[in-house]
Amino acid sequence: MKNKKEAVVVLSGGQDSTTCLLWALKKYEKVYAVSFDYNQRHKKELECAAKICEKLGVEQKVLDMTLLNELAPNSLTRDEIKVDESAPETGTPNTFVEGRNMLFLTYAAVYAKGRGINDIITGVSQSDFSGYPDCRNVFIKSLNATLNLAMDYEFEIITPLMWIDKEETWELADSLGGLDIIKEMTLTCYNGIMGEGCGHCPACRLRKKGFDLYMSRRKQI
Ligand code: ZN
């Protein structure tokens, strides 16, 4: 029988995964967070995740994935690689970390099975996928099938943000009573600046555009 009372949330400390954590806390009796240390340039991201877990009373496990940075250096892990400010004409942007979501979800699944948990929640979104192939629904479905076969277990990878954009993600956080937590405690900026961020990197622009759209809509309600 499936365990529908507990879930594991993959938590980076950014807007999307924190919104998923808030969502899971309403839906499940017990929620565990799994975060990954992959030598990201901004250690603050992990600090944010830890503080968010502390505030919300969530047990957090941080797993060492520093090997990932050694194998596939990119602009989020190396200071000397400048963040692409716009999408390249071909291929993935240099903020893409090769294999990240597959590895993270696989480790989260091993952790979940160890606790008899079936549901794994991740904040990936095809609407805002920014050219990252491992944020697409087809990949999540495929990995879900693979994990079930690999471990002979019924995992369910749940993606509350898959078909919504940033504006709706802000709306969801607000409806869960977490607008201020997202605004003040999360780190989305590729340049490592908390809250509103640097304002010009692709992640900041996406976050701000969604926020402004949601705020102007909320005023009209
Ligand atoms: Zn930024």
Side-chain angles (χ1 to χ4, degrees):
M1 224 183 58
K2 275 204 195 176
N3 171 4
K4 284 287 165 195
K5 291 183 176 162
E6 297 176 300
V8 170
V9 177
V10 178
L11 183 74
S12 68
Q15 176 183 2
D16 294 344
S17 64
T18 305
T19 303
C20 286
L21 182 63
L22 294 167
W23 181 87
L25 285 166
K26 293 269 190 236
K27 204 171 143 61
Y28 296 88
E29 284 173 17
K30 174 97 181 153
V31 174
Y32 298 85
V34 174
S35 304
F36 296 92
D37 180 356
Y38 58 103
N39 261 342
Q40 49 270 64
R41 246 165 79 185
H42 307 298
K43 286 279 169 205
K44 244 188 260 169
E45 197 181 68
L46 277 174
E47 286 167 27
C48 286
K51 279 188 191 148
I52 290 161
C53 287
E54 204 184 301
K55 185 176 170 70
L56 298 173
V58 171
E59 188 177 324
Q60 184 200 26
K61 176 87 180 158
V62 180
L63 298 175
D64 183 355
M65 292 289 295
T66 46
L67 176 70
L68 192 55
N69 182 25
E70 215 177 288
L71 292 174
N74 83 99
S75 68
L76 294 189
T77 55
R78 295 289 170 90
D79 286 330
E80 65 273 20
I81 307 176
K82 208 175 163 296
V83 170
D84 279 340
E85 295 263 318
S86 53
E89 278 175 26
T90 54
T92 52
N94 75 359
T95 48
F96 176 61
V97 183
E98 307 285 353
R100 179 171 56 178
N101 281 346
M102 189 174 89
L103 291 165
F104 287 8
L105 285 165
T106 301
Y107 279 78
V110 173
Y111 175 84
K113 189 179 175 188
R115 277 172 173 63
I117 295 171
N118 300 92
D119 291 3
I120 302 163
I121 296 157
T122 171
V124 296
S125 170
Q126 182 152 339
S127 308
D128 277 332
F129 85 117
S130 307
Y132 296 178
D134 58 0
C135 288
R136 293 175 302 182
N137 196 48
V138 63
F139 161 71
I140 296 294
K141 291 280 173 271
S142 155
L143 181 64
N144 201 151
T146 298
L147 289 172
N148 293 2
L149 290 169
M151 290 181 244
D152 192 20
Y153 195 70
E154 278 188 72
F155 292 108
E156 193 179 343
I157 304 180
I158 298 169
T159 52
L161 312 184
M162 183 58 80
W163 305 111
I164 68 173
D165 62 16
K166 275 285 178 289
E167 178 188 349
E168 293 161 313
T169 303
W170 279 109
E171 184 175 15
L172 177 61
D174 196 14
S175 74
L176 296 165
L179 196 68
D180 289 340
I181 290 178
I182 304 296
K183 255 175 83 178
E184 289 154 22
M185 296 187 74
T186 62
L187 177 76
T188 306
C189 175
Y190 290 154
N191 292 308
I193 301 165
M194 285 275 300
E196 284 186 15
C198 73
H200 58 80
C201 77
C204 279
R205 289 200 307 247
L206 199 62
R207 173 174 167 138
K208 187 178 183 323
K209 192 176 151 216
F211 183 73
D212 291 347
L213 283 170
Y214 175 57
M215 279 300 140
S216 64
R217 186 152 60 83
R218 194 166 86 150
K219 273 184 210 136
Q220 290 160 13
I221 300 167

